[in-house]
Amino acid sequence: MRLKRRFWLTPARKYPQMDSHESSPPSVSRDWFFPSPSPSFIQPSSSSSSSHRHHLHTPPTRRFSTYPRPSNPSAAVPALRSTSTSSAASSHRDTKYAGFSRRTNFSRRYQRSLTPQVDAPSALHQIPQKCDVSSDKTSTPDKFIDLIGGRLKFRWQMAFLVALLITTFSSLLHKNISLHSQANDLQAQITNLNGRLQACNLLEPIDIDNPDSQNTINPPNKRLKSMALAVSVTLLSIPFLFLKYVEYISKSRSPDNLKEEASLNKQLAYKVDVFLSVRPYSKPLTLLVATLLLIGVGGLALFGVTDDSLADCLWLSWTYVADSGNHANSEGLGPRLVSVSISFGGMLIFAMMLGLVTDAISEKFDSLRKGRSEVVKKDHTLILGWSDKLGSLLNQLAIANESLGGGIVVVMAERDKEEMELDIAKMEFDFRETSVICRSGSPLILADLKKVSVSKARAIIVLAEDGNADQSDARALRTVLSLTGVKEGLKGHIVVELGDLDNEVLVKLVGGDLVETVVAHDVIGRLMIQCARQPGLAQVWEDILGFENCEFYIKRWPELDGMQFEDVLISFPDAIPCGVKSVSYGGKIILNPDESYVLQEGDEVLVIAEDDDTYAPVALPTVWRGNLPKEFIVPNTIEKILLCGWRRDIEDMIMVLDAFLAPGSELWMFNEVIEGVREQKLIDGGLDIERLMNITLVHREGNAVIRRHLESLPLESFDSILILADESVEDSAIQADSRSLATLLLIRDIQAKRLPYREAKASHGRKGSFSQGSWIGEMQQASDKSVIISEILDPRTKNLLSMSRISDYVLSNELVSMALAMVAEDRQINDVLEELFAEEGNEMHIRQADLYIKEGEELSFYEILLRARQRREIVIGYRLGNVEKAVINPPGKMEKRRWSLKDVFVVIAEKE
């Protein structure tokens, strides 16, 4: 029998009608009120004995409140459902009766058949059924093992069983959460209905159990939400099941297959590793996919445990991922569990994102700190390698770029960028607005060369490494091969510093027209020989090779076309012409041409000037051409020269000395190499001792820093002494300079003690700051009798020698750096330097003034210049008798002055 419950509209302040089963009417304390129904709604079943029905029990008598507490849990659900239906129906009722007060009466007994209201009880009865299923499932592994026959191992069985238990538990949890959520919704609807009933009076009864009124309610689709929750659980279980399956497949393979190929686990791990390491955007992409997957699975799970729409659940899932604190507002067991899970996953996602961003920023700053970033420049000077010459080279390049407002110099070496920048910052010179950029890399790798924009550099300088010359030249050769292999091509030329003259041909063969070579040892050896025979020439070379004073420049002047070279000499008041780059000779530079040479169209003029923008030709001045006071007779005196130490290319120096010295000259060799081994080394180096025409070799064995060994030599009888940076210590500049300085002091002290005092007094012509009785004064007196040239590697040693003035010197590393910088700025200058250093052709000389003037004669510099042209010489400067430094390219060339016979002139002339 169906139970029905209706509300009757009665006048205000009346008691509601009661059923005959009621004992007494309840007391009234407010305008409306629910009387308690009869104690029991149980009806006997009238159906056949084969079908059994369950009847609902009536809840106990109570007031209608916001939080109902039924005594029988099984009866609470139908009562709530009826109330929910009533509240839903009343919420859609017309509000035109809002002005009437209303009382409610139960006129009939609640009678309800069990068949249409079995949703909640049946759901509750399904729980033990599912538990029975799960209990049945526990016996499944044993049956499965019997059917399979032991093919699956225990770990796979446990994995399957765990997955099945997780699925069953999730279903039961979902049902429990769903029922709890429905109860909360019904209670909220009751509260809403309570407020509406207080606000209006109803004129006719409302049937809560009416199906039409139930259609107005849109209950959530339970099946769809259950599917969403199941899908989310399944998606979370798939990775675990997949890993277990892969593990099972890997272990189920035969041992023979394992020997031939790697396991499936290793293959998958390798592919993932390759994907994450090779693909540049693999990590951010993986993080994005994980974030979207977490949002999607979390949204489906929220959709299964809440009443919100799928779109709202997805957005709520994103808020949990983005801010883990948002889950604090969740209500109910199911939403809280899901929200906490999503928040925990969100914390992991954002931790990984923070790690990726931190790593990316750290890698970028580390790349900048270690010099791995690309140099986006053009028309810069690129230096490849690192050596002791780098400081002097950077100084010369900074001076050369000063007129341009500064330049860009890029240094790439196989050193840490911070160490290079720290060493460069310690260099004691002004960079003059020139920026030095350091990069760490190898010149043998094309990727590193592209990193420094090698194809856009206007000049590339390859420095020789400190150490073995052959190994250094071999590395320079490989560097040239790498440079010629740049696909974009090279805009500028390559300047290569070599250690051995024999390797020059091979490097030029590989580099072709792009390469200019500077052989450091050969250049220094020739300079030492020239300076030993002509004291003071070292300072002249420093002025010409360096950019601080005057240097070589080549430029085209169309207004000089058709003019003889003798007239060109006096056409530049701020420069001194030295040669011509002749078009008729195929662009060859002719140094010190004939006075009858006429400039043709396209010819360029080689000059010595302070800078490329400080000189220009003017109208031809009128200069008096006088006659030379006397003829120049080439000196043909026998010389005696001492070489202290052993160099790698000493055989080349011997050949140059044989070409310069007069017949009958002696060359003494004093070093620690055994005489027999010494001769064999000279022969292996290509020296044929029997073919020496002008000199005789005298061998002495000893240590140049031991006094008793030096005292065995006739030091007072040598015209020139060359102290070489010994091969055994040339890798260390400080140690080599210390040895050279010690040898110099010992030789000067021995000479001073052997030199008679009266002879020293008569020959003493220099006035210094040291007294004649001091040990330095005695060495200065001894220096007037012979010339000592010391090969100095460290520029700091220069100050010691310049203060004492006991030796002329050659600053080898600095001179090589000057030559490299000059060739880098203009590669044509290399041809000029090669001719000036060669055995044949033109070279620099220091001439006495009596070859050009008479005592007390007043002449201008132009007049002396034209007089020197009568012997095909070009005067480029002079040194007065009372000063120590020569003046190259003097100003005021038209001004007359009184000259002294003690003065000397610096000229470019053919070799004697």
Side-chain angles (χ1 to χ4, degrees):
M1 179 176 181
R2 178 177 179 139
L3 300 179
K4 294 185 178 180
R5 178 175 55 191
R6 296 181 180 276
F7 297 103
W8 296 90
L9 302 175
T10 57
R13 306 178 186 272
K14 296 280 187 171
Y15 289 104
Q17 297 181 1
M18 304 299 296
D19 193 274
S20 61
H21 296 282
E22 297 288 332
S23 60
S24 62
S27 59
V28 179
S29 62
R30 50 186 174 182
D31 290 345
W32 61 274
F33 147 98
F34 286 102
S36 61
S38 61
S40 174
F41 287 146
I42 302 176
Q43 298 292 336
S45 174
S46 62
S47 61
S48 61
S49 59
S50 59
S51 62
H52 299 282
R53 297 180 179 272
H54 297 279
H55 299 279
L56 301 172
H57 295 278
T58 307
T61 303
R62 63 178 177 83
R63 286 183 181 275
F64 188 85
S65 65
T66 306
Y67 301 98
R69 297 182 180 180
S71 61
N72 189 356
S74 64
V77 175
L80 290 174
R81 289 180 59 85
S82 300
T83 308
S84 173
T85 306
S86 176
S87 62
S90 63
S91 63
H92 292 80
R93 185 72 61 182
D94 192 356
T95 59
K96 63 183 179 178
Y97 305 105
F100 298 93
S101 65
R102 176 179 63 184
R103 295 181 182 273
T104 307
N105 185 16
F106 290 95
S107 62
R108 303 177 184 179
R109 181 183 301 275
Y110 279 89
Q111 299 179 355
R112 184 183 300 273
S113 63
L114 187 63
T115 303
Q117 302 293 335
V118 296
D119 294 341
S122 63
L124 294 175
H125 287 297
Q126 286 177 1
I127 297 176
Q129 292 177 3
K130 295 224 174 211
C131 294
D132 295 339
V133 172
S134 64
S135 63
D136 294 338
K137 294 289 183 178
T138 58
S139 64
T140 302
D142 297 334
K143 297 178 182 180
F144 192 68
I145 293 173
D146 296 337
L147 292 175
I148 300 302
R151 294 184 61 184
L152 298 178
K153 295 185 179 180
F154 179 73
R155 298 181 76 181
W156 170 251
Q157 298 168 4
M158 291 300 298
F160 181 79
L161 181 59
V162 170
L164 188 61
L165 290 176
I166 291 175
T167 305
T168 305
F169 178 75
S170 301
S171 177
L172 294 176
L173 181 63
H174 170 260
K175 290 296 182 181
N176 188 12
I177 294 173
S178 177
L179 290 176
H180 183 73
S181 177
Q182 291 177 7
N184 292 336
D185 293 341
L186 291 175
Q187 187 64 39
Q189 291 176 4
I190 291 174
T191 304
N192 188 15
L193 179 62
N194 191 8
R196 287 179 177 272
L197 289 176
Q198 292 180 0
C200 61
N201 292 325
L202 300 178
L203 298 177
E204 54 187 32
I206 302 174
D207 190 359
I208 299 178
D209 295 329
N210 188 6
D212 296 336
S213 62
Q214 290 181 0
N215 292 335
T216 60
I217 303 174
N218 296 323
N221 193 336
K222 299 179 181 179
R223 186 174 182 182
L224 182 59
K225 291 184 175 293
S226 301
M227 291 178 60
L229 187 61
V231 168
S232 62
V233 174
T234 303
L235 290 176
L236 292 176
S237 303
I238 285 176
F240 175 76
L241 297 176
F242 177 74
L243 293 177
K244 290 298 180 183
Y245 176 74
V246 170
E247 183 179 359
Y248 165 72
I249 293 298
S250 301
K251 293 183 177 181
S252 63
R253 291 185 175 180
S254 61
D256 297 336
N257 293 335
L258 290 176
K259 293 180 181 179
E260 296 177 358
E261 58 180 347
S263 63
L264 186 59
N265 280 339
K266 293 182 179 180
Q267 292 180 7
L268 290 177
Y270 172 73
K271 290 182 179 180
V272 172
D273 183 43
V274 170
F275 174 75
L276 294 178
S277 59
V278 174
R279 306 288 181 179
Y281 301 103
S282 58
K283 294 180 181 179
L285 182 62
T286 304
L287 185 62
L288 177 62
V289 171
T291 305
L292 295 178
L293 184 63
L294 178 61
I295 294 174
V297 174
L300 290 176
L302 287 175
F303 182 69
V305 298
T306 61
D307 294 334
D308 296 334
S309 63
L310 181 60
D312 294 338
C313 291
L314 290 175
W315 175 254
L316 190 62
S317 177
W318 158 247
T319 60
Y320 292 158
V321 172
D323 187 0
S324 58
N326 287 336
H327 71 279
N329 298 327
S330 301
E331 296 182 357
L333 180 61
R336 286 178 178 176
L337 288 177
V338 175
S339 61
V340 168
S341 302
I342 298 174
S343 299
F344 182 73
M347 287 189 289
L348 294 179
I349 291 293
F350 273 87
M352 290 187 293
M353 181 182 298
L354 182 61
L356 289 179
V357 173
T358 303
D359 291 342
I361 296 176
S362 299
E363 288 178 0
K364 186 61 178 178
F365 278 100
D366 186 65
S367 175
L368 295 175
R369 182 177 59 85
K370 293 187 176 181
R372 297 174 183 171
S373 59
E374 183 178 357
V375 177
V376 186
K377 295 291 183 180
K378 62 179 181 179
D379 295 332
H380 58 282
T381 302
L382 175 62
I383 301 176
L384 301 178
W386 188 279
S387 69
D388 295 336
K389 306 178 184 67
L390 182 64
S392 301
L393 180 59
L394 291 176
N395 186 23
Q396 295 300 320
L397 292 175
I399 297 172
N401 294 326
E402 184 178 10
S403 61
L404 302 176
I408 303 295
V409 179
V410 180
V411 181
M412 187 177 75
E414 297 183 32
R415 297 185 60 194
D416 187 71
K417 176 176 177 289
E418 292 181 338
E419 294 181 1
M420 291 190 288
E421 291 177 344
L422 183 61
D423 291 342
I424 292 175
K426 294 179 180 178
M427 297 177 181
E428 299 176 353
F429 60 84
D430 185 11
F431 285 97
R432 296 175 173 87
E433 304 299 329
T434 295
S435 301
V436 180
I437 302 173
C438 296
R439 287 292 179 268
S440 179
S442 174
L444 304 180
I445 302 175
L446 289 177
D448 291 343
L449 291 176
K450 292 181 180 179
K451 183 173 62 178
V452 292
S453 301
V454 64
S455 60
K456 300 178 182 178
R458 64 186 180 93
I460 304 169
I461 303 175
V462 181
L463 293 179
E465 292 183 344
D466 297 330
N468 186 271
D470 293 331
Q471 294 180 1
S472 176
D473 292 349
R475 184 175 180 83
L477 179 62
R478 294 195 299 269
T479 303
V480 173
L481 284 173
S482 300
L483 292 172
T484 55
V486 177
K487 295 181 180 179
E488 295 82 1
L490 299 178
K491 177 182 178 181
H493 59 284
I494 307 171
V495 183
V496 183
E497 179 194 0
L498 296 177
D500 197 337
L501 186 62
D502 297 334
N503 300 323
E504 183 181 16
V505 178
L506 183 59
V507 173
K508 287 187 175 181
L509 179 64
V510 172
D513 296 335
L514 290 174
V515 174
E516 297 290 339
T517 59
V518 176
V519 185
H521 267 65
D522 183 66
V523 170
I524 296 305
R526 295 175 185 273
L527 279 176
M528 290 187 69
I529 293 173
Q530 291 185 13
C531 296
R533 300 182 65 245
Q534 302 183 67
L537 194 59
Q539 180 260 320
V540 175
W541 272 112
E542 284 190 22
D543 292 343
I544 293 179
L545 289 178
F547 286 95
E548 290 182 338
N549 298 304
C550 296
E551 53 273 356
F552 290 106
Y553 293 101
I554 300 178
K555 197 172 182 180
R556 163 83 176 140
W557 300 100
E559 57 268 32
L560 301 180
D561 292 344
M563 187 180 296
Q564 290 186 353
F565 183 75
E566 188 178 28
D567 295 332
V568 174
L569 287 174
I570 58 177
S571 299
F572 292 90
D574 299 317
I576 297 178
C578 301
V580 177
K581 182 180 179 181
S582 177
V583 176
S584 59
Y585 286 88
K588 180 181 178 181
I589 296 179
I590 303 176
L591 194 62
N592 187 19
D594 296 335
E595 61 275 0
S596 61
Y597 181 86
V598 178
L599 270 67
Q600 302 176 4
E601 184 178 358
D603 287 352
E604 300 180 22
V605 180
L606 171 68
V607 302
I608 296 178
E610 184 177 358
D611 207 341
D612 57 352
D613 57 353
T614 59
Y615 70 99
V618 297
L620 189 64
T622 302
V623 179
W624 175 70
R625 289 173 173 84
N627 296 323
L628 292 172
K630 63 179 181 179
E631 294 292 333
F632 174 70
I633 301 175
V634 178
N636 195 17
T637 58
I638 298 176
E639 298 183 38
K640 194 175 181 179
I641 297 177
L642 173 65
L643 291 181
C644 289
W646 183 271
R647 281 168 56 102
R648 182 179 56 256
D649 57 348
I650 196 170
E651 61 275 358
D652 296 331
M653 297 182 64
I654 294 174
M655 296 175 64
V656 174
L657 285 170
D658 184 64
F660 283 154
L661 297 178
S665 299
E666 292 182 359
L667 178 61
W668 289 54
M669 301 181 65
F670 178 73
N671 50 67
E672 297 182 73
V673 181
I674 301 174
E675 185 175 350
V677 177
R678 187 185 308 176
E679 293 180 356
Q680 186 61 40
K681 284 187 175 182
L682 293 176
I683 294 173
D684 294 340
L687 177 64
D688 189 355
I689 300 177
E690 296 181 356
R691 292 189 177 183
L692 295 177
M693 303 297 294
N694 299 326
I695 62 175
T696 301
L697 297 181
V698 180
H699 297 283
R700 290 292 185 271
E701 183 179 347
N703 193 337
V705 295
I706 299 178
R707 186 181 183 91
R708 67 176 182 272
H709 292 175
L710 290 173
E711 288 179 344
S712 63
L713 300 175
L715 297 178
E716 70 281 359
S717 63
F718 292 109
D719 298 295
S720 301
I721 299 176
L722 280 69
I723 302 176
L724 308 178
D726 199 86
E727 185 180 17
S728 60
V729 293
E730 67 177 353
D731 294 342
S732 175
I734 297 178
Q735 188 176 357
D737 289 352
S738 300
R739 185 183 179 91
S740 299
L741 187 58
T743 303
L744 171 64
L745 294 176
L746 288 174
I747 291 175
R748 283 303 189 199
D749 184 58
I750 295 173
Q751 286 180 341
K753 286 182 171 49
R754 293 180 180 179
L755 186 65
Y757 178 76
R758 52 185 177 82
E759 183 180 353
K761 184 177 180 180
S763 62
H764 180 62
R766 301 185 196 177
K767 295 182 180 180
S769 59
F770 301 99
S771 63
Q772 185 175 346
S774 65
W775 64 275
I776 294 184
E778 294 178 356
M779 292 182 183
Q780 291 177 358
Q781 297 173 24
S783 65
D784 293 333
K785 302 299 297 181
S786 63
V787 177
I788 297 181
I789 301 297
S790 302
E791 183 180 5
I792 301 301
L793 303 181
D794 192 346
R796 290 173 292 185
T797 314
K798 171 184 176 182
N799 298 329
L800 299 177
L801 295 178
S802 60
M803 287 177 57
S804 61
R805 295 190 301 273
I806 59 177
S807 170
D808 206 343
Y809 61 90
V810 173
L811 197 59
S812 61
N813 279 351
E814 190 170 5
L815 289 177
V816 173
S817 301
M818 292 175 180
L820 290 172
M822 184 169 289
V823 177
E825 291 296 318
D826 190 352
R827 62 180 305 181
Q828 302 175 102
I829 304 301
N830 196 29
D831 296 334
V832 179
L833 299 180
E834 287 181 354
E835 182 175 352
L836 292 175
F837 295 150
E839 295 90 347
E840 299 179 354
N842 293 273
E843 67 174 355
M844 289 190 184
H845 296 273
I846 295 181
R847 304 287 198 209
Q848 295 296 324
D850 58 356
L851 296 176
Y852 308 97
I853 62 173
K854 297 178 181 179
E855 181 65 31
E857 192 174 9
E858 292 187 3
L859 296 174
S860 66
F861 184 80
Y862 272 157
E863 293 174 345
I864 297 176
L865 182 61
L866 293 181
R867 285 188 180 184
R869 286 303 298 167
Q870 298 178 21
R871 279 197 295 260
R872 197 181 171 183
E873 297 175 351
I874 300 177
V875 180
I876 63 174
Y878 59 86
R879 187 184 70 196
L880 300 178
N882 55 354
V883 297
E884 297 181 357
K885 188 174 181 180
V887 179
I888 306 300
N889 183 28
K893 298 179 177 62
M894 289 294 295
E895 298 178 1
K896 292 182 179 292
R897 60 173 302 167
R898 186 178 299 275
W899 301 91
S900 172
L901 295 181
K902 294 181 181 179
D903 300 336
V904 294
F905 292 96
V906 183
V907 301
I908 296 177
E910 291 185 352
K911 290 182 173 58
E912 301 169 356

